[in-house]
Amino acid sequence: MKIEIEERVLHFKQPAGTSRGVYTERRIWLVKMTDGERVGVGECAPLPNLSCDDIPNYALMLRHFCDGMERTGELDTEAMRDYPSMLFGLETAWYSLSAQHPSSNAPLLFDSPFARGEEGIPINGLVWMGTFEEMRGRIEDKLAQGFRCVKLKIGAIDFDAELALLKKIRERFGPREIELRVDANGAFPFDEALYKLELLSQYALHSIEQPIKAGQWGNMAELCRESPLRIALDEELIGVNDPEQKRQMLNIIRPSYIILKPSLHGGMTGVREWVDIARDMGIGSWITSALESNVGLNAVAQLAADIYGPGIHMPQGLGTGQLFTDNIPMPLEIRGDQLWISANS
């Protein structure tokens, strides 16, 4: 077995704004695994200042794990628990290496109706942070495209302006017509959070992601108990890689949902672990991509289809493959509010 690493920089079509800043480009590492005639490709894509494996010597550590795989011919998922984006990329390449390739050019990582191009996965339409007018325009675009679930990033502009946006949507579309999710990315101070959640609850939202910064288990548990809105954890899960610690955290906080990104939350192995633990506690979950290229998006989508399918009903967060001007070609397409693998590509 031989593994090659290629570093690339992808460029956003439009700046992607979050409460942590604005992304204009995305650095990724592609791993190409070859074994005789077989080839598998995966994507390692840490998020700056967020991933637990966003480290200065990232490329060297990735090479270290690749060298280990070349020597042993095996993927040591246990040794890579603290390096989720690297693990996800190597898992993707590993599964891709032995994958079937159906009539489309996407490797069949996990056999499912979605992977065979027979079924789509419902997804939310993502509206990035911006000015009031920018966000309003983006919302109009998503609704015009036929999305029935829209997720808004909040916390960057004036909170009253964000409430006004939600009000305008609800004046036009009731909760039976459009499901609204919001993601605060930890933007609310704890002493203001409950008041803001009460104001947001006027607009019949499905849920809010990560209202306060991660690492405040007691405060987050209090919000989950008192909030009129269902709370989903996202950043809170980053760096919690031990199974017993996962169980302990969920038992203390008791959120309504957890939102899982393989690049951030333990690769494919870690995501399956999170889902199993959450199910045991009656906690819901869904899977999203984390600004990967189409290589990563394809893997995340096939993982979601394998875990929740067939016939997924809850919208997943899998629409980010259209963000880049220089994306990697893959037969993924959005039809209405669903992500499909095109069997004719």
Side-chain angles (χ1 to χ4, degrees), residues 49-229:
N49 303 315
L50 185 61
S51 298
C52 64
D53 57 355
D54 175 35
I55 53 178
N57 62 336
Y58 187 93
L60 289 174
M61 185 59 68
L62 177 59
R63 185 69 258 173
H64 166 74
F65 288 123
C66 290
D67 291 345
M69 283 196 71
E70 287 181 340
R71 286 194 306 270
T72 65
E74 297 180 355
L75 177 59
D76 189 347
T77 57
E78 194 63 32
M80 297 186 69
R81 275 191 179 274
D82 294 331
Y83 303 90
S85 67
M86 299 183 202
L87 175 57
F88 176 55
L90 289 175
E91 284 174 318
T92 301
W94 179 253
Y95 285 115
S96 178
L97 189 70
S98 57
Q100 301 176 49
H101 292 257
S103 56
S104 72
N105 293 320
L108 191 69
L109 305 181
F110 307 105
D111 191 14
S112 70
F114 168 75
R116 296 192 300 269
E118 300 167 2
E119 177 178 284
I121 297 177
I123 61 175
N124 59 245
L126 179 60
V127 175
W128 288 95
M129 289 178 174
T131 66
F132 180 90
E133 291 301 325
E134 287 171 340
M135 292 184 73
R136 186 171 68 178
R138 292 167 188 167
I139 291 168
E140 294 287 349
D141 289 343
K142 294 300 179 186
L143 298 180
Q145 290 166 26
F147 282 94
R148 291 169 293 174
C149 176
V150 176
K151 171 180 167 179
L152 287 80
K153 294 277 189 177
I154 64 173
I157 63 175
D158 179 72
F159 184 66
D160 288 338
E162 291 169 339
L163 291 176
L165 273 173
L166 293 169
K167 182 179 179 182
K168 284 183 179 294
I169 298 172
R170 277 293 175 244
E171 286 173 349
R172 288 184 52 193
F173 300 98
R176 291 186 178 181
E177 297 169 285
I178 295 293
E179 179 179 287
L180 290 177
R181 301 172 177 175
V182 295
D183 182 1
N185 286 127
F188 299 164
F190 173 66
D191 59 359
E192 300 176 9
L194 187 57
Y195 174 66
K196 290 186 173 183
L197 293 175
E198 288 170 350
L199 292 176
L200 288 167
S201 69
Q202 301 173 77
Y203 303 109
L205 305 183
H206 172 271
S207 57
I208 181 169
E209 295 179 36
Q210 203 68 41
I212 61 175
K213 291 186 184 300
Q216 307 175 68
W217 290 10
N219 288 343
M220 187 67 85
E222 181 179 334
L223 287 181
C224 288
R225 287 194 304 269
E226 302 296 331
S227 172
L229 272 180

Side-chain angles (χ1 to χ4, degrees), residues 178-300:
I178 295 293
E179 179 179 287
L180 290 177
R181 301 172 177 175
V182 295
D183 182 1
N185 286 127
F188 299 164
F190 173 66
D191 59 359
E192 300 176 9
L194 187 57
Y195 174 66
K196 290 186 173 183
L197 293 175
E198 288 170 350
L199 292 176
L200 288 167
S201 69
Q202 301 173 77
Y203 303 109
L205 305 183
H206 172 271
S207 57
I208 181 169
E209 295 179 36
Q210 203 68 41
I212 61 175
K213 291 186 184 300
Q216 307 175 68
W217 290 10
N219 288 343
M220 187 67 85
E222 181 179 334
L223 287 181
C224 288
R225 287 194 304 269
E226 302 296 331
S227 172
L229 272 180
R230 289 175 291 187
I231 291 177
L233 303 185
D234 180 354
E235 288 90 342
E236 200 73 61
L237 312 180
I238 297 172
V240 182
N241 300 316
D242 176 76
E244 286 309 309
Q245 191 180 18
K246 292 177 181 181
R247 192 175 297 277
Q248 179 188 24
M249 187 193 73
L250 292 184
N251 190 48
I252 290 171
I253 298 178
R254 292 285 173 168
S256 296
Y257 302 103
I258 57 173
I259 300 169
L260 298 161
K261 300 177 175 71
S263 289
L264 292 174
H265 303 134
M268 297 181 182
T269 302
V271 164
R272 292 184 189 276
E273 202 169 71
W274 275 115
V275 170
D276 288 343
I277 293 170
R279 280 174 174 166
D280 286 346
M281 297 185 180
I283 296 169
S285 65
W286 67 87
I287 290 176
T288 84
S289 50
L291 306 181
E292 296 94 353
S293 77
N294 280 331
V295 173
L297 177 61
N298 172 63
V300 176

